[in-house]
Amino acid sequence: MKMESVGVYRFCGCTAKNKMKCDSRWEMTASETAPTSAYSSPARSLGDTGITPLSPSHIVNDADPNVSEQQTFLVVVAIDFGTTSSGYAYSFTKEPECIHVMRRWEGGDPGVSNQKTPTTILLTPERKFHSFGYAARDFYHDLDPNEAKQWLYLEKFKMKLHTTGDLTMDTDLTAANGKKVKALEIFAYALQYFKEQALKELSDQAGSEFENSDVRWVITVPAIWKQPAKQFMRQAAYQAGLASPENSEQLIIALEPEAASIYCRKLRLHQMTDLSSKAAVNGYSSSDTVGAGFAQAKEHIRRNRQSRTFLVENVIGEIWSELEEGDKYVVVDSGGGTVDLTVHQIRLPEGHLKELYKATGGPYGSLGVDYEFEKLLCKIFGEDFIEQFKIKRPAAWVDLMIAFESRKRAAAPDRTNPLNITLPFSFIDYYKKFRGHSVEHALRKSNVDFVKWSSQGMLRMSPDAMNALFKPTIDSIIEHLRDLFQKPEVSTVKFLFLVGGFAEAPLLQQAVQAAFGDKCRVIIPQDVGLTILKGAVLFGLDPAVIKVRRSPLTYGVGVLNRYVEGKHPPEKLLVKDGTRWCTDVFDKFISADQSVALGELVKRSYTPAKPSQLVIVINIYSSELDDVSFITDPGVKKCGTLRLDLTGASSTNVPARREIQTLMQFGDTEIKATAVDIATSKSVKVGIDFLNY
């Protein structure tokens, strides 16, 4: 049998319970390399081995025993790996009501009050890890300009995992000096840094050495990330030593808006700002909530910075007590890189959550405001100069964006006085050398009348000019929310929780309140930039709190069906031993946006093409569409490989039809699979790989 050493047959008898119409009879898939436009037929290489029917597939409703496994960790540490800033928090499993946020970082920026650190990393010219966060940025800033060109400085690199369509373990990132470095290496360095910081803090607090094996780690990712990006983060965590493939349960991947939703369940009245309140809530009236009210809340947070411990009561918060069985709410997680939207429904009496509509969103984070500022600079000084300046003076470019970040945070709907942005001396100097005239001359000639030159060496922007930089990004968020509110599942939403770092922006708060305040109550948690971090800790303590999720994609494999004249295309016909088969049929495991309960398993039975075969490889396909007929349809992508490893299983007394029973779990934040060799009753290793194919 000429194949790439692997192949399986399957008999499919889907029950009505999984709500999928399927007349699949047999399956054989091979590990062929398929072009993206049209996949080669798995069945074309079919050999002489007979096809043997096996048990029908079905959905098992019993909970996966791993979902509710006994807690063996002393502490849960959550890492909020953000696009612009990152941090960690932890809680001891014996004191789940106390969430401790990490120690105060060295350094800081004017106008930035949260306890996280910039997601910036610095490597030496020899490509060894040097520093992370403020330390990396400050060291890079102090380097001589010529020396800085040799160092590898990276910031805001998380977005690469979202924007790269063909993400692999070899995907590169570009440092500020233009040099390439492996993304996996950078993410692993960052996670290893957080691991060392957290273990040191835990050891200092405990008074004795804290072992990594005592820790359950949680890493947050956007809900709209595809499976390859989630797997990439897990691989980086393995490389950083947080967990291992053999002990994968030590690491949980948490979806950012889910984490925020879990924390919002615990909110008390004094821990939130209600933008929709007509009466005074939290001491603020509706007239001043967006402006002065939020400023007061932030000042209150600053005054209490010395306390890094947050008490989370076991009871449901007051805001939650207003929710009844079946009530719906939206979580808008607006961060640096992406905006994530999820819709949840409350399930009483336990207060468990059900996802009503698959996570949506897009690259509408606060980085969009930075891009608009860069476009403005290009308009004034020329795109050619800005590109050269970023390459020749990378540290000065970082300084300029830090100065802009500070003023960006001062933007507000009712602001009347201008905002001054300091230009680094090297910007002014390099521009004169590059163009032969001054920065002031460029501003006069640019026809950008809302940006002036200040004699103190600053760009002076009018409030309208600054607000205009926010408009494209905020408009995208509002438009996406409007689309979401049109969905039947999202009608009669009671609350909208606005969370994430970008939620601190008064301009975004006002826009969301103006657009949706008449449809639902708009709530902003206090200390909004830490909402996801604290929720991720709660998720690590109780991963089963989200009971029902929606599948973001349709998943399936290629199968052979009995060929039906007039129904199946002639080019799909394959005749084998007198039997007419239709090849390339897309047999669904699960449909896009289908509800899947936590612990609900899809069960399949396979047999190797040859009994002596030790490794079986099944290609998995996905599509954003629900209505998929063939793996060659437009938009269908090979998204991974399911490997059944029979190595080590005894070959004695193995029947000719060796049955491998496979259970795939879709209801968690990651797709998991286990398999049992029926002949020997031994489990076999199964891993779904979305990166290496």
Side-chain angles (χ1 to χ4, degrees):
M1 179 171 186
K2 293 184 178 179
M3 296 172 54
E4 290 184 28
S5 79
V6 289
V8 296
Y9 300 112
R10 184 175 67 78
F11 174 78
C12 175
C14 297
T15 66
K17 192 163 190 179
N18 69 7
K19 299 174 184 173
M20 301 175 195
K21 290 183 180 177
C22 180
D23 58 351
S24 313
R25 297 291 176 130
W26 322 97
E27 172 190 0
M28 195 292 297
T29 61
S31 62
E32 80 287 351
T33 302
T36 54
S37 56
Y39 295 108
S40 57
S41 299
R44 296 296 179 196
S45 58
L46 196 61
D48 295 328
T49 309
I51 295 173
T52 309
L54 289 178
S55 59
S57 63
H58 60 285
I59 287 182
V60 181
N61 290 310
D62 295 335
D64 179 1
N66 292 324
V67 171
S68 57
E69 63 182 2
Q70 190 175 357
Q71 180 62 264
T72 56
F73 303 102
L74 298 179
V75 66
V76 169
V77 179
I79 300 172
D80 180 6
F81 198 124
T83 303
T84 52
S85 60
S86 299
Y88 67 86
Y90 58 93
S91 178
F92 294 97
T93 52
K94 289 185 178 179
E95 293 181 310
E97 68 281 356
C98 293
I99 298 175
H100 308 271
V101 177
M102 63 196 188
R103 286 194 279 227
R104 182 88 179 154
W105 294 84
E106 296 293 325
D109 290 333
V112 181
S113 63
N114 72 32
Q115 289 173 272
K116 295 197 287 186
T117 192
T119 307
T120 54
I121 194 167
L122 183 64
L123 305 188
T124 67
E126 294 76 38
R127 295 174 176 256
K128 301 295 183 186
F129 175 81
H130 180 271
S131 49
F132 186 89
Y134 289 117
R137 211 180 62 186
D138 293 346
F139 187 93
Y140 185 63
H141 168 271
D142 293 339
L143 286 170
D144 177 83
N146 288 322
E147 194 180 356
K149 293 177 190 174
Q150 306 305 314
W151 290 67
L152 284 82
Y153 178 83
L154 297 101
E155 62 179 353
K156 300 165 185 171
F157 47 85
K158 179 184 169 186
M159 277 298 285
K160 183 79 172 180
L161 299 196
H162 179 67
T163 56
T164 304
D166 55 347
L167 183 68
T168 70
M169 304 287 269
D170 294 320
T171 294
D172 285 327
L173 296 173
T174 305
N177 61 2
K179 292 182 180 177
K180 302 280 189 184
V181 62
K182 293 288 177 230
L184 187 69
E185 191 178 320
I186 295 301
F187 279 84
Y189 274 145
L191 291 172
Q192 186 175 359
Y193 175 79
F194 279 114
K195 173 193 166 189
E196 290 170 0
Q197 292 290 319
L199 288 177
K200 186 176 186 306
E201 181 172 341
L202 288 166
S203 296
D204 290 349
Q205 189 162 328
S208 59
E209 195 71 21
F210 224 89
E211 297 294 333
N212 185 66
S213 57
D214 295 328
V215 180
R216 163 165 265 174
W217 296 95
V218 181
I219 300 176
T220 64
V221 301
I224 56 172
W225 270 14
K226 301 286 195 295
Q227 291 296 339
K230 293 175 187 173
Q231 184 185 332
F232 186 95
M233 286 297 281
R234 183 170 279 279
Q235 292 299 323
Y238 289 162
Q239 190 162 316
L242 273 70
S244 65
E246 295 73 33
N247 191 20
S248 60
E249 291 79 15
Q250 190 177 1
L251 170 66
I252 298 176
I253 301 294
L255 307 183
E256 288 165 5
E258 278 193 1
S261 178
I262 292 164
Y263 179 70
C264 288
R265 299 163 71 234
K266 305 284 188 179
L267 282 178
R268 310 304 300 264
L269 286 175
H270 68 276
Q271 295 172 319
M272 66 179 196
T273 304
D274 187 344
L275 298 188
S276 309
S277 177
K278 301 295 183 285
V281 171
N282 208 8
Y284 315 130
S285 67
S286 57
S287 60
D288 67 3
T289 299
V290 173
F294 205 71
Q296 288 175 40
K298 285 166 75 173
E299 184 56 39
H300 171 74
I301 292 160
R302 280 194 207 98
R303 285 199 303 270
N304 288 282
R305 272 294 171 224
Q306 297 309 310
S307 172
R308 297 182 299 108
T309 300
F310 295 85
L311 292 177
V312 181
E313 300 184 34
N314 287 324
V315 298
I316 297 297
E318 285 114 332
I319 193 78
W320 214 255
S321 64
E322 296 183 33
L323 288 169
E324 300 171 353
E325 174 76 41
D327 276 351
K328 308 169 188 176
Y329 64 94
V330 176
V331 176
V332 181
D333 170 23
S334 46
T338 57
V339 166
D340 254 351
L341 311 175
T342 51
V343 187
H344 280 161
Q345 186 176 45
I346 188 74
R347 297 175 70 179
L348 299 177
E350 300 90 352
H352 290 142
L353 306 176
K354 175 182 180 181
E355 188 179 19
L356 283 184
Y357 189 73
K358 66 180 179 182
T360 60
Y364 317 132
S366 61
L367 280 187
V369 185
D370 298 354
Y371 295 147
E372 289 299 316
F373 177 62
E374 188 176 329
K375 281 163 60 178
L376 178 65
L377 292 176
C378 289
K379 187 175 180 181
I380 296 170
F381 303 108
E383 190 174 341
D384 55 340
F385 165 73
I386 295 298
E387 288 305 313
Q388 276 301 302
F389 180 71
K390 286 162 74 174
I391 294 168
K392 300 291 187 184
R393 302 284 188 273
W397 174 256
V398 171
D399 284 351
L400 175 55
M401 294 312 292
I402 291 169
F404 173 70
E405 178 69 25
S406 170
R407 306 320 298 146
K408 181 173 82 173
R409 290 173 179 269
D414 53 356
R415 189 182 178 98
T416 55
N417 53 322
L419 297 111
N420 294 324
I421 299 164
T422 304
L423 285 180
F425 171 76
S426 62
F427 184 99
I428 299 167
D429 181 59
Y430 190 70
Y431 183 79
K432 192 169 182 74
K433 290 175 181 173
F434 191 86
R435 288 275 189 247
H437 57 250
S438 69
V439 163
E440 185 179 0
H441 177 81
L443 274 162
R444 282 202 308 270
K445 295 288 186 183
S446 68
N447 297 322
V448 180
D449 53 4
F450 44 79
V451 181
K452 306 294 184 188
W453 176 248
S454 162
S455 57
Q456 288 88 21
M458 298 178 177
L459 292 178
R460 177 167 289 183
M461 294 184 69
S462 72
D464 288 345
M466 178 62 85
N467 294 358
L469 299 182
F470 280 77
K471 192 173 187 308
T473 302
I474 290 177
D475 284 353
S476 294
I477 294 170
I478 299 299
E479 183 183 351
H480 207 91
L481 267 169
R482 285 194 203 282
D483 290 344
L484 183 67
F485 270 79
Q486 297 298 316
K487 309 291 182 188
E489 300 93 334
V490 192
S491 60
T492 66
V493 163
K494 203 162 187 175
F495 293 105
L496 185 154
F497 291 102
L498 192 58
V499 304
F502 197 25
E504 292 179 357
L507 289 165
L508 177 59
Q509 294 171 25
Q510 186 196 55
V512 172
Q513 170 62 17
F516 305 104
D518 60 336
K519 295 181 174 66
C520 57
R521 286 171 63 187
V522 180
I523 307 288
I524 302 176
Q526 189 189 78
D527 223 358
V528 65
L530 298 176
T531 302
I532 291 160
L533 191 51
K534 290 184 278 190
V537 173
L538 293 174
F539 182 64
L541 291 166
D542 181 16
V545 66
I546 308 283
K547 290 296 183 186
V548 179
R549 287 187 173 86
R550 296 271 177 164
S551 174
L553 297 170
T554 296
Y555 290 98
V557 295
V559 303
L560 297 174
N561 280 358
R562 294 279 188 175
Y563 188 82
V564 179
E565 288 288 350
K567 177 184 175 184
H568 294 136
E571 64 272 16
K572 301 293 184 186
L573 174 62
L574 172 72
V575 180
K576 176 65 183 170
D577 296 332
T579 303
R580 292 156 62 84
W581 300 105
C582 178
T583 66
D584 301 338
V585 175
F586 185 99
D587 178 30
K588 291 181 193 174
F589 275 76
I590 198 165
S591 298
D593 205 31
Q594 181 179 332
S595 284
V596 186
L598 185 67
E600 197 166 286
L601 306 171
V602 180
K603 185 176 176 182
R604 296 282 194 259
S605 286
Y606 299 90
T607 188
K610 288 189 272 187
S612 59
Q613 209 165 287
L614 293 180
V615 179
I616 304 165
V617 178
I618 305 160
N619 289 320
I620 303 171
Y621 301 91
S622 67
S623 172
E624 293 183 1
L625 303 174
D626 180 28
D627 186 19
V628 183
S629 299
F630 298 97
I631 63 170
T632 51
D633 286 355
V636 176
K637 297 177 181 175
K638 190 168 110 176
C639 67
T641 302
L642 178 61
R643 298 180 181 273
L644 309 185
D645 188 355
L646 306 183
T647 308
S650 173
S651 59
T652 57
N653 301 320
V654 173
R657 298 185 307 169
R658 186 170 196 160
E659 181 179 352
I660 309 298
Q661 205 170 75
T662 307
L663 295 150
M664 294 189 67
Q665 180 186 331
F666 288 94
D668 209 341
T669 57
E670 299 173 278
I671 295 175
K672 298 175 183 176
T674 54
V676 178
D677 179 10
I678 300 301
T680 61
S681 298
K682 287 186 178 179
S683 295
V684 291
K685 299 172 186 176
V686 179
I688 295 182
D689 192 342
F690 287 91
L691 289 172
N692 300 307
Y693 51 85

